[in-house]
Amino acid sequence: MGLINQVVPADQLEGYVKDYCQMIAANAPLTVRSVKVIVREAMKDASERDLALCKRLVDDCFASEDYTEGRTAFMEKRKPVFKGR
């Protein structure tokens, strides 16, 4: 079912979680924020989901400066510098 994708010893759990959170936080802020909203919408009953909101958030991410920066950084083999816009 894909519920577990990593198992770590108890004494390494805190460090693993911290590193994982830092990896997520290093992504484009607009994208991280949008994913949080979209996941909340996905958890709702189908009849209550705001799909227009989800589409707008995705469109905004693809139209953002951060998206361009991420693609450029990837092509230039460097870390992106996201600005949240």
Side-chain angles (χ1 to χ4, degrees), residues 38 50-62:
I38 291 168
D50 188 344
L51 298 180
L53 169 64
C54 295
K55 180 176 181 350
R56 188 174 73 247
L57 291 171
V58 170
D59 291 345
D60 289 349
C61 286
F62 279 114

Side-chain angles (χ1 to χ4, degrees), residues 20-59:
Y20 198 81
C21 290
Q22 288 174 339
M23 178 187 66
I24 292 170
N27 287 291
L30 292 174
T31 301
V32 173
R33 205 170 310 125
S34 296
V35 167
K36 289 178 182 181
V37 173
I38 291 168
V39 168
R40 277 195 298 271
E41 288 298 317
M43 299 301 294
K44 294 178 181 179
D45 287 333
S47 64
E48 297 177 9
R49 294 179 189 148
D50 188 344
L51 298 180
L53 169 64
C54 295
K55 180 176 181 350
R56 188 174 73 247
L57 291 171
V58 170
D59 291 345

